[in-house]
Amino acid sequence: MTNEYRHSVSLDRDKCKGCTHCLKRCPVEAIRIRDGKAQINANRCIDCGVCIDVCPNKAKKATSDKLEDLKKFKYTVALPAPSLYGQFDNLDDIDYILQGLLDLGFDEIYEVARAAEVVSGMTRLYLNRKDIEKPVISSACPVIVRLISLRYPYLCENILPIQPPIDLAAARARERALEKNPGLRPEDVGVVFISPCPAKVSYIKNGLGGKKSDIDLVLSMSDVYFDLIGVMKKQLTPEPISRTGMIGVSWASTGGEATAIFNDKYLAADGIENVIRVLEQIDNGNFPYLEFIELNACSGGCVGGMMTVENPYIAKARLQTLKRYLPVSENWDFRDDGENSDIPEKYFSDPVKYAPVSALSSNMSEAMEKMARIQEIHKTLPDIDCGFCGSPTCYCFAEDVVKGNADISECVVMMREKKQKAAKEKNHEDS
Amino acid sequence: MAEAITFHYDVDGENFTSAGNASVQVKRKLRQLGFPPEIIKRVSIAMYEGEINMVIHASGGSADVTVTPEEVRIVLTDHGPGIADVALAMREGYSTAPDNIRSLGFGAGMGLPNMKRYTDTMEIDTEVGRGTTITMTVKVA
């Protein structure tokens, strides 16, 4: 099946009380409450993680690999996301974190921030091309890419067709590890991404870029954080490992990627609801001329990911301190001033394909009959979107009834009215 | 043949931030009905422009959309000032939008021309002082 997508957001059925928090907040209406438990529709879910955030019972969880899994490999390379740098208090040097990762057992580090700087360079070159759709939309947030592929057929070609930083970092990390250690076979090397969010975990597991991901394991940033805190207490001066400039660090929060195009015709938005509003408006064509659009599903950008520890705004403030004395970029692989101004084919990703999931039927007459019935049923519903029936809105409930996934008797409000009416009639008869 | 489905939307003239909502709703419905992306795009752009016009010039109005497998018909009705010179209003770049609206990025004089461009038929029924009704159809080839 084409729509089969492996998700990393899942439900702990024992903890789920069947309340309506996630139901009401899911931005793509992918959740229903059935038999007192939440159900996630895998075809619709975009892995944004909002349901994890809003669940009062901690019943939604994101699966990731564990630090013990490093043992499966002879040689491991850690790929820390730039957002990791904003998680620690009183830190004036990224190298303390990278040293900490080595102390946890990694053999080598390849910062995703470095790859981000390379991607920024390629993006600037790509924007110079005359044959492309503008505005170019960032491909870094997998939630956004999936959302566009499900809903916005005409925006698919606006997505930057260049590998996102994690893919580039993974390929380079493996290459470098094998170069440095000629005795190793490719399968001996474990490339381990430290992720701020479940969406990137899913992205990697699905190999969304078209190819099988070069990343072998994905660890949750919050898991690694607590291990790191333990080893980072050493007062020793760390080895100078970091090779990241301001641009790479800035990718961790909203606006970092967009400002790195060195052109003020950009927009940067975050928070899934805001992002959907922006996409709707671009889709309608009523938009000022823009070169580049950076969209992040999480508030604040990647520092707001569900697997981070620190408040995103505090993390962003810390990043400001960390990048103060850094050069603009340390990775100028591509620049538009001469020799390296062509983007090699290997850095392009497959085009994003439109794959809608919302059609009521593959036959239009049938779809129209269904929609007519949905509208009929919707008219009879209270339209207060209480969620007691297990659908997020009355309209959704009408859809679910027509699709055969719910029964009209599940509308609590309607049933109560019926009961009251019956009671009244009975009183009438009695008196 | 399936019967036509109709959708009705009130376009709120007071609230600029919600302008375009009806267009988004219709887009969603057409997607559910399985219309090709090209048709959805044309309908949603034409409707969006029309909605914005009603908010800018006529303090809102209403939108009625009739959908059959063969065509999508959009009727936009307002009780605004009417259009004095339709031919002039249809010219690209001609706009009577006030400065405060232009400062929001609207009023480029492309609304009506875009509506015509993206639809197969467009009729304007207008009278100064009474209001305007615009009927557009997008045919499914």
Side-chain angles (χ1 to χ4, degrees):
Chain A
M1 220 178 101
T2 48
N3 278 329
E4 211 163 296
Y5 190 83
R6 290 168 63 197
H7 295 278
S8 54
V9 177
S10 63
L11 182 82
D12 183 339
R13 281 186 66 87
D14 293 337
K15 285 186 181 167
C16 178
K17 287 184 176 171
C19 70
T20 59
H21 285 87
C22 61
L23 176 76
K24 303 292 292 178
R25 290 286 301 279
C26 174
V28 290
E29 296 176 335
I31 299 178
R32 297 290 183 275
I33 313 292
R34 297 279 178 257
D35 303 322
K37 304 284 178 191
Q39 269 179 12
I40 307 173
N41 180 335
N43 286 339
R44 283 174 177 262
C45 173
I46 53 172
D47 283 292
C48 66
V50 167
C51 58
I52 300 180
D53 194 39
V54 300
C55 180
N57 307 308
K58 304 252 176 290
K60 293 285 196 327
K61 57 183 185 208
T63 40
S64 57
D65 299 306
K66 297 288 163 236
L67 202 58
E68 297 88 75
D69 296 327
L70 293 187
K71 289 184 202 126
K72 293 177 189 163
F73 299 91
K74 277 192 185 156
Y75 191 88
T76 53
V77 189
L79 266 53
S83 40
L84 179 68
Y85 306 160
Q87 306 300 312
F88 305 91
D89 203 10
N90 292 322
L91 198 74
D92 56 5
D93 200 328
I94 293 166
D95 286 328
Y96 283 101
I97 304 167
L98 305 186
Q99 182 66 54
L101 289 171
L102 293 176
D103 293 345
L104 280 181
F106 287 100
D107 297 294
E108 206 182 319
I109 314 287
Y110 194 94
E111 297 169 89
V112 176
R114 291 187 63 182
E117 295 190 334
V118 177
V119 171
S120 286
M122 287 194 273
T123 308
R124 288 191 293 271
L125 291 179
Y126 182 73
L127 288 170
N128 286 339
R129 282 171 52 167
K130 298 280 177 280
D131 57 337
I132 56 168
E133 283 294 321
K134 298 264 178 84
V136 169
I137 301 173
S138 162
S139 60
C141 177
V143 175
I144 306 301
V145 175
R146 185 163 155 80
L147 178 67
I148 291 175
S149 78
L150 294 177
R151 280 199 190 174
Y152 304 97
Y154 281 96
L155 298 181
C156 289
E157 54 197 73
N158 293 61
I159 296 173
L160 181 70
I162 290 171
Q163 287 181 10
I166 43 172
D167 289 349
L168 190 90
R172 291 199 167 185
R174 188 178 304 275
E175 253 172 51
R176 206 174 60 170
L178 292 172
E179 246 169 54
K180 275 193 187 170
N181 308 280
L184 289 175
R185 292 168 303 169
E187 60 269 31
D188 295 333
V189 180
V191 177
V192 186
F193 177 57
I194 299 166
S195 180
C197 67
K200 291 210 163 88
V201 180
S202 305
Y203 170 81
I204 290 159
K205 303 276 175 207
N206 287 286
L208 204 69
K211 300 144 196 131
K212 190 199 164 290
S213 175
D214 246 316
I215 295 167
D216 301 295
L217 298 174
V218 191
L219 303 183
S220 155
M221 193 169 286
S222 55
D223 288 351
V224 176
Y225 172 84
F226 290 104
D227 293 320
L228 267 176
I229 291 276
V231 293
M232 275 171 59
K233 278 179 186 146
K234 287 185 191 168
Q235 296 302 312
L236 297 170
T237 311
E239 292 286 323
I241 306 163
S242 179
R243 285 285 315 280
T244 300
M246 281 167 72
I247 289 178
V249 175
S250 300
W251 268 67
S253 63
T254 302
E257 181 190 2
T259 49
I261 66 163
F262 301 159
N263 179 323
D264 61 5
K265 291 264 177 281
Y266 73 84
L267 173 153
D270 58 18
I272 190 71
E273 299 286 349
N274 297 328
V275 162
I276 290 175
R277 253 175 262 147
V278 169
L279 286 172
E280 288 294 347
Q281 209 167 331
I282 310 172
D283 199 32
N284 281 336
N286 204 306
F287 222 68
Y289 178 77
L290 291 171
E291 288 277 318
F292 188 77
I293 295 189
E294 174 191 334
L295 299 171
N296 298 301
C298 299
S299 294
C302 295
V303 285
M306 298 307 151
M307 288 172 161
T308 61
V309 180
E310 189 50 271
N311 169 311
Y313 302 98
I314 294 175
K316 191 181 177 187
R318 287 178 182 160
L319 292 172
Q320 282 154 217
T321 316
L322 274 176
K323 69 187 182 193
R324 186 180 297 150
Y325 299 110
L326 295 179
V328 172
S329 173
E330 288 225 51
N331 300 276
W332 294 107
D333 301 37
F334 298 97
R335 41 199 329 170
D336 51 3
D337 56 357
E339 285 164 36
N340 291 323
S341 60
D342 279 331
I343 307 168
E345 201 49 44
K346 66 169 178 176
Y347 294 121
F348 281 93
S349 50
D350 290 353
V352 174
K353 280 198 200 81
Y354 176 54
V357 290
S358 61
L360 289 169
S361 163
S362 52
N363 172 316
M364 196 179 292
S365 305
E366 206 178 290
M368 291 192 60
E369 274 166 38
K370 279 190 180 170
M371 186 163 290
R373 267 163 57 215
I374 291 168
Q375 288 195 294
E376 278 311 305
I377 293 173
H378 183 228
K379 269 187 221 153
T380 66
L381 296 175
D383 216 11
I384 56 169
D385 301 340
C386 68
F388 280 12
C389 59
S391 303
T393 63
C394 289
Y395 192 84
C396 257
F397 177 62
E399 283 179 353
D400 290 344
V401 170
V402 170
K403 285 177 185 164
N405 299 331
D407 192 273
I408 190 80
S409 66
E410 286 165 271
C411 177
V412 178
V413 179
M414 240 163 97
M415 285 303 122
R416 192 185 60 180
E417 271 168 12
K418 248 187 201 166
K419 235 181 182 172
Q420 282 171 342
K421 210 170 151 195
K424 230 183 218 168
E425 272 163 15
K426 192 166 182 292
N427 278 345
H428 238 59
E429 280 165 24
D430 291 350
S431 58
Chain B
M1 196 195 91
E3 264 181 70
I5 304 186
T6 57
F7 306 106
H8 173 84
Y9 302 94
D10 290 316
V11 177
D12 181 3
E14 303 296 313
N15 189 350
F16 224 104
T17 53
S18 69
N21 275 359
S23 160
V24 170
Q25 296 297 328
V26 168
K27 190 157 54 175
R28 199 167 292 161
K29 306 276 189 213
L30 295 181
R31 227 184 270 144
Q32 282 188 312
L33 290 173
F35 278 90
E38 176 64 22
I39 300 293
I40 300 178
K41 183 180 180 130
R42 289 169 58 199
V43 169
S44 67
I45 290 182
M47 196 164 157
Y48 180 84
E49 295 283 9
E51 258 187 273
I52 295 286
N53 276 351
M54 288 199 289
V55 176
I56 294 177
H57 300 287
S59 345
S62 62
D64 289 280
V65 181
T66 310
V67 181
T68 67
E70 291 78 32
E71 68 166 33
V72 179
R73 176 182 297 268
I74 307 153
V75 182
L76 304 170
T77 311
D78 70 56
H79 302 289
I83 304 168
D85 185 339
V86 174
L88 188 59
M90 286 302 297
R91 276 218 322 243
E92 289 191 7
Y94 178 80
S95 173
T96 57
D99 285 347
N100 62 336
I101 299 292
R102 286 166 190 262
S103 69
L104 288 169
F106 296 107
M110 290 305 293
L112 284 170
N114 269 341
M115 287 158 71
K116 182 150 184 71
R117 179 173 310 136
Y118 285 104
T119 54
D120 290 302
T121 69
M122 177 163 118
E123 279 165 42
I124 302 177
D125 177 16
T126 184
E127 194 185 317
V128 173
R130 185 179 58 95
T132 302
T133 299
I134 296 183
T135 306
M136 298 177 282
T137 58
V138 171
K139 298 202 189 306
V140 183

